[in-house]
Amino acid sequence: MTRYQIDPRLCSDSDLARHLLTARGVQWMHGERGVPLATLLRGLESDRHALYDEIRRRPGLSSSHVGVWVTAEHSVAAAALSDPRLGARAPGPAPRRNQVFTNDADSTLKHVLTIDDGTLELEHETCGRLARITAPVLGATAVEARAGAFGDVFRQRADALTRTFDLMTDYARPGVTTALADLIGLPEADRERIGELIADTGPVLDSLLCPPTLRTSRRLVEAYDGVKAALTELLDADPALPGAPEESALGALPRLAAADGTRPGDDVLTACLLTLVVGTHLATNLVCGTVHALLRHPRELALVREDAAFAGAAVEETLRHTPPVRLVSRVAREDLRLGGTDVAAGDQVVVLVEGANHDPAATADPRTFSLRRRDRAHVTFDGLPGRFVAPVVRVLATEAVRALISGRPAPEPAGEPVRHMRSPVTGAVARYPLVAAA
């Protein structure tokens, strides 16, 4: 955690509202003064690429504010996201979790809220341990083996679509929710309730950097705590999880974690929470982003319609071109040198993922969306916690796009995607109306 990153559970409505409004006002003020990072954090649909270009004109890391560094350069972004010296929280003793940010604060506001710093704000060593333990169920090879089952889920959703439908609410979210419920092994009786709670956790990644409204903050915390409580109850069942399929996360991970001998209960809960909460939102937005990109590029759309093998290339190009994670924030755990710049312990480093993916030094003609591209260098899932859920997100999105587009008449937009306000990290889609081909 950083000094003024508060836990909403520990604050009254008046203190939380003051914290959120002050943080929003400071971001707005700096944006009006032309600070690129502040403009991005305001969460408006501004010309982001013009801001990325402006930042890249200052090579390596550039200073956005006192103790805050930002980069849109691909090589520096890759180095920052892989450096374990850049973590989720500042060094030193944990700060008070209700220390409200005020205009006369003597420290820059780095992170706004903490929803679950033990799960969502992963450190490199924790992510590595989780990946090792869960690989037989959640690793790339394991989830690719389930691609056929995921595809069946999405084909059923595609076959049931009406003439006019919403890509997010009628297809992407229910399909991803069902597929992940199967993967985790959620009991049928709990799926609808947990699915509704997961939908309300939508701002979970954006709230770290962009203050939501008071009402949204309270709903987010209540929903996240509800998902966590439901999973905890399932994991505490005795005998453990009766009826959970052996190959599911709830069926297999307790045994795998116990065999590994490292914090089995906490690790299984963390893995399942990340998959259900972060995995759902990244996968659904990636599905919507890929379909939107294909509908705007008819030649690329034709490739996927005619050859299902191009669905994976479409997802990967979307991860580069229009990623579901636009920026990642880390904090220096010790003094270090990055991109030719000295970074002090406690300084914030913000990686503009989308900007780095469009760095012409790494990718030729980066603004062009092309499925036949050979130089598809991107850092979208190099950061945390996205790195942990990347395998399942990739497979889910690929199967969803394949089921909706390959071998079928393509739907047509009935309007532009409607995005949630204050979502600078994810650019989250709320609705995307489409019309099925006649």
Side-chain angles (χ1 to χ4, degrees):
M1 295 180 63
T2 56
R3 181 176 180 184
Y4 294 103
Q5 181 188 3
I6 67 172
D7 185 338
R9 302 168 187 84
L10 304 180
C11 295
S12 65
D13 279 357
S14 60
D15 281 349
L16 179 57
R18 181 158 54 94
H19 177 82
L20 297 171
L21 287 170
T22 304
R24 184 68 170 166
V26 168
Q27 289 178 353
W28 198 271
M29 175 184 68
H30 287 303
E32 290 299 302
R33 292 176 176 174
V35 178
L37 177 60
T39 301
L40 292 168
L41 292 180
R42 294 195 312 191
L44 304 176
E45 285 300 300
S46 56
D47 187 351
R48 300 188 305 277
H49 289 280
L51 295 172
Y52 301 150
D53 291 342
E54 178 182 341
I55 291 168
R56 267 196 304 273
R57 283 194 285 271
R58 295 171 253 175
L61 292 177
S62 63
S63 176
S64 179
H65 196 61
V66 176
V68 180
W69 303 95
V70 63
T71 185
E73 192 172 304
H74 184 273
S75 60
V76 179
L81 293 175
S82 64
D83 195 328
R85 296 173 298 175
L86 292 170
R89 51 189 65 84
R96 298 202 326 264
R97 297 188 179 197
N98 60 347
Q99 189 166 353
V100 174
F101 184 65
T102 58
N103 281 325
D104 60 353
D106 59 0
S107 178
T108 302
L109 175 71
K110 297 180 175 69
H111 296 162
V112 177
L113 297 180
T114 179
I115 305 304
D116 187 348
D117 55 316
T119 297
L120 298 169
E121 297 173 33
L122 285 182
E123 301 291 359
H124 287 264
E125 54 268 30
T126 305
C127 183
R129 184 182 70 246
L130 288 176
R132 183 187 70 248
I133 294 170
T134 64
V137 180
L138 302 177
T141 301
V143 294
E144 285 167 6
R146 300 182 69 107
F150 292 161
D152 290 341
V153 169
F154 287 109
R155 280 187 290 274
Q156 291 175 12
R157 298 298 312 180
D159 291 341
L161 292 171
T162 58
R163 167 74 172 159
T164 302
F165 66 96
D166 188 277
L167 182 62
M168 174 58 85
T169 60
D170 295 327
Y171 183 72
R173 183 179 295 132
V176 167
T177 300
T178 299
L180 286 181
D182 291 342
L183 176 64
I184 296 299
L186 296 180
E188 289 290 340
D190 296 321
R191 291 190 176 197
E192 183 177 359
R193 175 175 62 93
I194 293 176
E196 291 173 352
L197 290 171
I198 291 170
D200 282 342
T201 64
V204 69
L205 296 179
D206 291 288
S207 65
L208 178 70
L209 293 169
C210 184
T213 64
L214 175 63
R215 180 182 178 185
T216 299
S217 301
R218 293 300 190 201
R219 186 169 66 244
L220 166 60
V221 170
E222 181 180 0
Y224 182 86
D225 289 349
V227 177
K228 188 172 184 177
L231 288 172
T232 300
E233 182 178 351
L234 289 172
L235 287 167
D236 287 344
D238 189 18
L241 308 172
E246 289 187 6
E247 69 279 7
S248 71
L250 290 176
L253 291 186
R255 181 181 69 255
L256 294 169
D260 190 81
T262 56
R263 303 171 54 196
D266 290 345
D267 284 342
V268 175
L269 178 60
T270 297
C272 290
L273 271 170
L274 287 171
T275 302
L276 284 174
V277 175
V278 178
T280 293
H281 299 307
L282 293 186
T284 54
N285 280 293
L286 181 56
V287 171
C288 291
T290 304
V291 172
H292 182 53
L294 290 172
L295 295 181
R296 295 178 63 190
H297 298 86
R299 292 174 60 182
E300 311 309 301
L301 175 65
L303 291 176
V304 180
R305 286 192 60 208
E306 295 165 8
D307 185 349
F310 276 104
V315 167
E316 205 63 28
E317 178 66 347
T318 302
L319 284 170
R320 183 200 67 81
H321 187 271
T322 318
V325 178
R326 294 175 178 174
L327 53 97
V328 171
S329 174
R330 306 296 280 175
V331 178
R333 301 166 71 174
E334 59 187 78
D335 294 347
L336 59 97
R337 189 165 179 81
L338 181 67
T341 300
D342 291 325
V343 177
D347 282 2
Q348 179 185 19
V349 176
V350 178
V351 175
L352 302 179
V353 170
E354 186 178 45
N357 291 352
H358 284 255
D359 185 351
T363 303
D365 195 15
R367 299 294 290 274
T368 298
F369 184 87
S370 173
L371 304 193
R372 297 186 184 276
R373 180 184 296 281
R374 295 186 180 275
D375 57 343
R376 194 173 288 122
H378 69 76
V379 295
T380 299
F381 284 145
D382 288 10
L384 301 172
R387 185 190 308 168
F388 178 76
V389 299
V392 70
V393 168
R394 277 189 164 99
V395 175
L396 285 171
T398 298
E399 294 306 315
V401 171
R402 181 176 287 137
L404 184 67
I405 301 295
S406 298
R408 295 176 182 262
E412 297 180 356
E416 288 294 307
V418 177
R419 301 187 184 275
H420 285 285
M421 298 180 66
R422 304 193 188 188
S423 58
V425 174
T426 64
V429 174
R431 301 182 303 280
Y432 188 8
L434 298 179
V435 177

